[in-house]
Amino acid sequence: MLSLRPLAYEDLTVGMIEVYTKHVISQDIVGFAEVSGDRNPIHLSEHFAAKTPFKNRIAHGLYTASLISAVLGTRLPGPGAIYLSQSLNFKAPVYIGDDIEVRVSVAELIDKGCRARLDCKCLVEGKVVLEGEAMVKVPRQSEMSVPL
């Protein structure tokens, strides 16, 4: 689990990066299906998945994307950040047993509205499986809550 690191808008600089790695296990996929309601058998049934081009169960695309959200909400920028938008481009499947490396970096800081544009990538064995961009509103130091 990621530890909390609250950063204020003033703490951010273009080029800052946070990296998080998550090992995908079957229970994650089953749990995500339960929470999201997405019970597509490509994610849950070995028998069904064996008949697809993937040959094995794959993780939900939004499960992979949710790991970006984990970074944004805990580390960069962290607690208090508000998601405004997210673009996602899925490039390759993620399988149970994969290690997903999530890389979030500050691409641009926009003073008006204290917004940050973040480049987001998920990689498996160095190959991009998901890429996109997030826009978040970041609290100023004067708006930060009691330290966590």
Side-chain angles (χ1 to χ4, degrees):
M1 184 178 300
L2 287 168
S3 61
L4 298 179
R5 180 185 68 187
L7 295 171
Y9 181 78
E10 295 87 350
D11 298 325
L12 301 179
T13 58
V14 171
M16 284 180 83
I17 189 166
E18 185 68 32
V19 179
Y20 168 55
T21 301
K22 175 76 169 93
H23 182 73
V24 181
I25 59 175
S26 180
Q27 292 90 328
D28 292 338
I29 305 311
V30 171
F32 191 85
E34 184 67 29
V35 169
S36 69
D38 181 350
R39 302 197 46 80
N40 183 337
I42 189 82
H43 308 301
L44 303 172
S45 169
E46 291 289 347
H47 179 72
F48 181 91
K51 298 175 186 175
T52 71
F54 302 114
K55 303 295 182 211
N56 289 299
R57 291 168 54 200
I58 60 172
H60 301 76
L62 288 181
Y63 167 81
T64 303
S66 74
L67 301 176
I68 294 170
S69 179
V71 172
L72 301 185
T74 60
R75 305 287 299 163
L76 184 64
I82 304 297
Y83 240 133
L84 299 174
S85 65
Q86 175 79 60
S87 67
L88 301 169
N89 295 302
F90 300 96
K91 302 291 189 178
V94 172
Y95 295 92
I96 295 165
D98 282 348
D99 291 318
I100 303 173
E101 180 182 285
V102 181
R103 301 177 66 82
V104 175
S105 61
V106 178
E108 180 183 13
L109 294 169
I110 304 163
D111 287 336
K112 185 176 181 178
C114 298
R115 294 177 296 153
R117 185 172 58 82
L118 306 167
D119 286 332
C120 307
K121 285 190 174 143
C122 296
L123 303 97
V124 173
E125 296 182 358
K127 179 180 178 181
V128 175
V129 296
L130 183 157
E131 63 185 0
E133 183 176 279
M135 185 69 74
V136 295
K137 180 171 177 24
V138 185
R140 291 200 173 274
Q141 287 175 347
S142 61
E143 301 168 331
M144 297 292 284
S145 301
V146 177
L148 302 172

